[in-house]
Amino acid sequence: MAIQMDGKRISKELKEHLSIETDRYLLEYGRPPLLVTLLVGNEPASLMYVQMKKKACEEAGILNQIFAYETISEEEIISLINRWNKTEEIDGILIQHPLPEGIDEATCFRAIAPDKDIDGLSERSSFKSATANAMMNMLDYYGIDVEGKNAVVVGRSTIVGKPTANLLLERNATVTICHSKTKNIKDYLKKADIVVAAIGKPHFIKSEWLKENVVVIDVGYNEGNIGDVDPKGLNEKASYYSPVPGGVGPVTIATLLEQTLEAYKNHVEKTEQRQKRR
Ligand code: NAP
């Protein structure tokens, strides 16, 4: 019987911890952490994610201002970001993905000041990809050591697949990245001790392709709350697996807030040091 990794519980505990910390910092520094979110368009899934993050911010004692635009040009986005970069009280800047067609996301992500890019969206960010780091939080919570294990990451996007592979590598796993051009993907999966699925294809990976006692982390979030791994037979095959919904998603949001608090601490400490020097 596999252990289901309880993303909701991990997220709740993280937010409770953050809330205690933000209360303490509010007393010390007189302001809460501030996260600004840019939302463009009216895609229902994006609206829902933005609202979920706002609610989580409230639970953790973080202020979240949402700037929503039906349409906006890339130049206008960049000029907004530049303004936010310079605003001292803003600790984190979040751009809700995806931006509408015609806007180059990577350019917008790169415009965020590295110390405010709490989602870890660009290579310059001072923070890790929140989704990839959320997975590490989940592995840690269950005491799963990846050193020397064969990890297969399916998906190589810059915001999920690649940063996840990097973090697993940092922890001394032997990492293979598979993608849409990989031949005989099942041959890699058969040897994997840890599988991370970040594909965006509902129930793509089947439990028959996996080895006994595998750890499965399903990042996929497809229409209808469906993951990239077919849960059929997973309970018998895996030692641990993260379900969809209730797995990586809630932990990603909590990790995002954790990184926002980190950014805030850096900012208020810098301000203090500047004031002391005067
Ligand atoms: P993405 O940018 O579309 O990347 C998908 C990756 O999957 C690509 O590298 C692609 O390969 C690979 N792929 C596609 N078809 C494949 C196939 N048949 N066999 C093997 N690999 C295949 O997506 P993403 O942004 O990384 O997101 C992946 C999934 O995670 C989505 O369902 C998304 O909703 C979800 N997500 C969840 C969270 C969370 O917090 N829970 C956060 C972000 C994303 P190529 O590079 O060759 O095209």
Side-chain angles (χ1 to χ4, degrees):
M1 271 298 253
I3 294 174
Q4 264 202 43
M5 300 166 101
D6 190 344
K8 283 191 186 157
R9 191 170 80 195
I10 303 171
S11 161
K12 186 167 175 280
E13 288 180 17
L14 272 171
K15 283 183 290 189
E16 280 166 1
H17 174 72
L18 289 175
S19 162
I20 296 168
E21 289 242 300
T22 51
D23 279 353
R24 191 162 59 80
Y25 279 103
L26 180 61
L27 281 177
E28 200 171 334
Y29 294 107
R31 74 164 181 93
L34 172 59
L35 174 66
V36 294
T37 303
L38 175 69
L39 171 67
V40 187
N42 40 27
E43 217 187 82
S46 292
L47 291 172
M48 186 188 76
Y49 293 140
V50 165
Q51 285 310 323
M52 280 161 69
K53 287 172 196 167
K54 186 170 178 63
K55 183 168 170 280
C57 277
E58 281 161 15
E59 288 164 358
I62 293 173
L63 265 184
N64 183 206
Q65 284 178 0
I66 301 169
F67 291 80
Y69 295 85
E70 204 136 299
T71 53
I72 184 170
S73 69
E74 195 175 308
E75 292 71 36
E76 285 168 320
I77 293 179
I78 304 289
S79 106
L80 264 180
I81 294 172
N82 285 338
R83 203 170 76 219
W84 293 337
N85 283 344
K86 288 187 202 124
T87 308
E88 205 169 320
E89 294 74 32
I90 293 176
D91 301 297
I93 300 172
L94 191 64
I95 298 180
Q96 182 58 45
H97 160 83
L99 288 172
E101 261 180 52
I103 297 179
D104 185 29
E105 265 192 355
T107 305
C108 297
F109 293 163
R110 266 197 306 273
I112 304 175
D115 62 321
K116 297 192 181 192
D117 181 8
I118 43 77
D119 211 357
L121 294 172
S122 91
E123 316 77 59
R124 300 187 318 135
S125 175
S126 317
F127 298 91
K128 295 180 168 131
S129 144
T131 310
N133 214 13
M135 280 181 253
M136 301 304 133
N137 273 337
M138 293 176 92
L139 292 171
D140 290 342
Y141 189 89
Y142 288 96
I144 300 167
D145 183 10
V146 304
E147 183 162 313
K149 306 265 173 66
N150 283 335
V152 172
V153 179
V154 189
R156 56 173 166 179
S157 71
T158 46
I159 55 172
V160 188
K162 279 184 198 159
T164 302
N166 280 337
L167 290 186
L168 288 166
L169 198 59
E170 270 177 26
R171 292 182 174 210
N172 296 325
T174 304
V175 183
T176 306
I177 304 180
C178 296
H179 46 78
S180 68
K181 306 290 183 292
T182 302
K183 293 201 170 63
N184 305 323
I185 203 165
K186 292 182 203 171
D187 291 348
Y188 296 95
L189 290 170
K190 217 186 301 168
K191 295 191 192 116
D193 302 305
I194 296 155
V195 170
V196 175
I199 313 159
K201 292 213 175 335
H203 291 180
F204 180 83
I205 294 176
K206 308 292 176 194
S207 63
E208 309 86 270
W209 304 354
L210 307 173
K211 78 176 199 184
E212 293 286 330
N213 292 325
V214 61
V215 173
V216 177
I217 304 203
D218 189 353
V219 192
Y221 203 73
N222 306 291
E223 217 180 310
N225 290 352
I226 295 172
D228 287 345
V229 183
D230 190 344
K232 197 162 155 263
L234 210 53
N235 216 11
E236 291 70 39
K237 186 57 81 68
S239 54
Y240 292 88
Y241 77 90
S242 70
V244 177
V248 180
V251 187
T252 299
I253 294 181
T255 305
L256 198 67
L257 306 186
E258 207 178 27
Q259 302 197 152
T260 304
L261 180 63
E262 204 54 49
Y264 164 85
K265 283 189 211 166
N266 294 338
H267 291 152
V268 287
E269 274 159 21
K270 262 193 203 150
T271 309
E272 284 265 294
Q273 281 165 9
R274 255 204 322 269
Q275 281 164 355
K276 270 190 199 143
R277 277 202 299 269
R278 277 186 198 148

